Amino acid sequence: MSADTDFEDLREQLRAKCIYLADDNVPERLEWFRMQDFDRVITKDEADKYRNSSRKEGTPSNEDDESGSPPPARLAGIVRLTHKHDFFMQACSGWIPSTSPGHPRFADIRPSAFTEDPGIPELMGDYPKIWNNVVALLRGWYQFEGEDATKLRDSVGVIDWTTKSEPNPAHGFKIGHRVFERQSPENLKNFQDHGASFNIETWPVEPEAQLELDKIKKTHIAHPIPVYYPDPEKNLIPPYRYRDDLRGAIVRLEFHLNHWFIDGRHTFTADIRRMKILVRPNLPPRDVASPIKRKGIPSRDDFSDEDELPRPPKRQATSHRTNASASTSQQNPQAVPSTPKKTKATSTRKTAAKDKSEESPKKEKYKQSTLHTMWSPK
């Protein structure tokens, strides 16, 4: 699987351009920085440059003024986009109308996916370090604010703290990208048209969401996920291909880590800056039905249905001697017993025995048929 990619070399490239999250001492190289409406992770080097600059003390930073604020840290890793959880990295994030509390507006949808260990031998042990460093950065925000780090469990977003078991690298962490933005003179000036497949006019949505899309076509612009096909194509992946081409893929991931306070809750987001497929997904088509499960032989015997089987008729003990012959034998043990006379009772018993012997094959046949029907495999 990894024969076409030199992962050792790729890891060095990421170290040169980004903060490779599987390295040691990552949290010590980063810190949180307060913007106007949110907080972001930046490198300590950029923080020192900002503090040593000639900017006036007390001048509020502005998230829209990238030239005046330290740039966000580019965090990187090599991960797999998991297919085990619900996969919402689709063009419309699977959005459908709902009146449930907390349900996002259509204009605010954020296609997302959980990451997991890519399972590449050359990168053995990297993903657990990536996950642990992400958690350390989340805890670092509470230290940055002077709050109790145990409150992290009340947060939402990057790490799913709602699981019954303690979150760990096997649960992964979530990344996402907001695709719609309200029009402004600045973003219209910088807007880049990638073609009809990426335009808000033709943005693919569920039928139930089409009306909501129509409402924002004149007020918003679409920002496709910055994710690219592997070499040699290197093309931007169109929105209608997100699910099929990304679910289960191994990717080179670069993202920014931010903190927001939304609806009274601390929310952390891992915002995709750039992503490239390294290994295409190897999953069966979504429309292929699962094989029919057949009931097998039990691993332990079970005779609980024994009472339901047909029982043979009870046999009644009979004597070959009449009462008279028995009496004679007792009086004269040496006498040869005489042949008993055919009494009416004896004749009746023999007739009944004959009738019984004639019916026996039918009953035996019924018994065998019943047993075969009940025990034949289904």
Side-chain angles (χ1 to χ4, degrees):
M1 179 179 66
S2 57
D4 297 334
T5 303
D6 186 342
F7 287 100
E8 290 287 351
D9 181 64
L10 177 58
R11 188 158 46 184
E12 292 303 317
Q13 293 179 32
L14 291 175
R15 287 190 174 112
K17 299 178 180 179
C18 313
I19 300 294
Y20 187 64
L21 285 172
D23 287 342
D24 297 329
N25 303 320
V26 165
E28 287 77 8
R29 299 163 57 192
L30 302 168
E31 67 178 66
W32 285 92
F33 183 85
R34 184 176 292 109
M35 300 292 289
Q36 185 172 359
D37 299 322
F38 69 106
D39 308 305
R40 64 166 48 149
V41 169
I42 65 173
T43 65
K44 286 189 179 294
D45 290 341
E46 291 295 338
D48 291 340
K49 290 179 183 179
Y50 177 79
R51 283 189 285 263
N52 295 331
S53 67
S54 59
R55 292 175 59 88
K56 294 181 180 180
E57 185 177 354
T59 301
S61 57
N62 188 339
E63 66 172 308
D64 296 325
D65 183 11
E66 292 292 339
S67 61
S69 300
R74 292 169 58 182
L75 310 179
I78 300 172
V79 301
R80 185 191 298 274
L81 303 181
T82 183
H83 62 279
K84 299 176 184 177
H85 302 275
D86 291 334
F87 190 82
F88 292 109
M89 192 162 281
Q90 308 169 48
C92 68
S93 193
W95 189 94
I96 57 175
S98 174
T99 57
S100 301
H103 189 68
R105 299 183 308 155
F106 177 77
D108 297 333
I109 61 173
R110 178 184 167 84
S112 61
F114 277 89
T115 64
E116 67 178 6
D117 195 320
I120 297 174
E122 297 93 320
L123 304 177
M124 185 68 67
D126 275 18
Y127 187 81
K129 293 180 181 179
I130 292 174
W131 190 91
N132 286 321
N133 280 328
V134 168
V135 173
L137 289 171
L138 301 186
R139 288 199 180 99
W141 181 88
Y142 290 89
Q143 297 172 357
F144 167 70
E145 290 291 334
E147 296 190 23
D148 185 359
T150 59
K151 293 182 179 180
L152 176 63
R153 292 184 174 278
D154 299 327
S155 68
V156 295
V158 174
I159 301 292
D160 184 5
W161 299 101
T162 63
T163 56
K164 295 181 180 179
S165 58
E166 181 74 13
N168 59 65
H171 295 118
F173 66 93
K174 186 167 63 174
I175 60 175
H177 177 77
R178 186 170 175 175
V179 292
F180 299 131
E181 182 184 12
R182 183 174 289 277
Q183 294 179 4
S184 69
E186 184 175 356
N187 62 31
L188 287 175
K189 178 181 177 180
N190 298 325
F191 177 73
Q192 184 177 359
D193 188 1
H194 297 284
S197 297
F198 303 88
N199 197 293
I200 193 171
E201 295 291 337
T202 58
W203 197 264
V205 296
E206 302 291 341
E208 299 89 340
Q210 186 61 50
L211 181 61
E212 295 298 320
L213 175 64
D214 294 339
K215 291 179 182 179
I216 67 171
K217 284 182 178 180
K218 302 300 182 182
T219 58
H220 289 66
I221 57 176
H223 294 292
I225 301 174
V227 56
Y228 301 85
Y229 283 118
D231 299 339
E233 297 105 310
K234 300 183 180 181
N235 295 327
L236 191 64
I237 298 178
Y240 68 89
R241 294 297 307 174
Y242 287 163
R243 179 181 177 88
D244 291 333
D245 291 345
L246 296 179
R247 182 171 170 263
I250 296 175
V251 299
R252 164 184 173 166
L253 169 67
E254 298 175 22
F255 67 96
H256 300 155
L257 187 60
N258 298 319
H259 165 270
W260 304 79
F261 194 69
I262 303 174
D263 296 332
R265 302 189 73 176
H266 294 292
T267 303
F268 294 95
T269 60
D271 299 323
I272 300 170
R273 182 187 182 277
R274 187 169 60 176
M275 195 161 59
K276 181 179 180 179
I277 294 178
L278 301 176
V279 181
R280 294 179 184 271
N282 184 20
L283 298 174
R286 286 177 291 162
D287 296 331
V288 175
S290 300
I292 298 176
K293 294 183 178 180
R294 300 184 182 276
K295 186 176 180 180
I297 298 174
S299 58
R300 298 177 65 87
D301 58 1
D302 182 7
F303 293 89
S304 60
D305 59 346
E306 185 178 32
D307 292 338
E308 299 176 5
L309 298 179
R311 294 181 178 274
K314 292 183 179 180
R315 294 184 179 181
Q316 184 175 0
T318 58
S319 174
H320 294 287
R321 300 178 182 180
T322 62
N323 293 336
S325 61
S327 177
T328 304
S329 299
Q330 291 175 358
Q331 294 176 0
N332 187 9
Q334 296 180 355
V336 178
S338 60
T339 303
K341 295 182 180 179
K342 294 183 179 180
T343 62
K344 184 176 181 181
T346 303
S347 177
T348 302
R349 284 196 297 270
K350 287 188 175 182
T351 302
K354 181 179 179 181
D355 294 340
K356 182 177 178 181
S357 64
E358 291 177 353
E359 293 178 359
S360 178
K362 294 182 180 179
K363 290 186 177 181
E364 184 66 17
K365 183 177 181 181
Y366 165 77
K367 177 181 176 182
Q368 293 177 356
S369 175
T370 306
L371 287 171
H372 176 74
T373 302
M374 295 187 67
W375 289 100
S376 61
K378 296 181 180 179

